[in-house]
Amino acid sequence: MEDDDVKTQQADGKKEAADLDKVTDITTEKELDTAKAEQSVKSLLAGDKSKDQLKAQRERELAAVTVSADDVAVLAAEFELSTAAADRLLREHNADLASALRQLVNAAQ
């Protein structure tokens, strides 16, 4: 009887060891194509630069828009915006107070 228990325990132990080996198998690492990796990094960096250039161009366009201090005050007071946020909103709407107001009212709904 004890021999059967020992054999069963040994069989279970071997099965558990085999299962553990399956889980912990180490796969061989693939060789990295450095040229391809460098090209990928360069393309990512180029994409970031173009995004930065577009953002800078948009900021220059917005800075060129002249806004009325009274319009900024209206937006800031009526919608509890900071003067910087009200100024930015007006610039994004090409200094059109009615358009900026419509956006704020529609956004609130």
Side-chain angles (χ1 to χ4, degrees):
M1 181 98 168
E2 288 182 21
D3 287 337
D4 289 337
D5 287 341
V6 170
K7 287 180 183 177
T8 304
Q9 288 177 350
Q10 287 176 345
D12 288 344
K14 287 180 182 178
K15 184 179 184 237
E16 289 173 359
D19 289 343
L20 184 60
D21 283 341
K22 288 179 186 175
V23 173
T24 59
D25 280 346
I26 299 175
T27 59
T28 58
E29 293 184 23
K30 294 181 181 180
E31 193 171 313
L32 180 64
D33 183 3
T34 56
K36 193 173 183 179
E38 287 176 11
Q39 181 62 32
S40 296
V41 170
K42 285 179 184 178
S43 68
L44 287 172
L45 291 175
D48 286 346
K49 286 181 183 178
S50 65
K51 285 180 186 177
D52 290 342
Q53 289 172 346
L54 289 173
K55 285 180 184 178
Q57 179 183 352
R58 178 68 176 148
E59 291 302 318
R60 285 191 299 273
E61 290 170 357
L62 291 176
V65 175
T66 305
V67 294
S68 166
D70 292 338
D71 291 347
V72 172
V74 167
L75 285 178
E78 294 300 321
F79 290 92
E80 297 179 2
L81 298 174
S82 67
T83 54
D87 183 76
R88 173 76 182 209
L89 184 63
L90 278 168
R91 289 179 189 279
E92 289 173 349
H93 288 275
N94 204 24
D96 183 4
L97 179 61
S99 176
L101 287 169
R102 271 193 293 282
Q103 180 184 343
L104 288 171
V105 169
N106 290 335
Q109 294 177 353

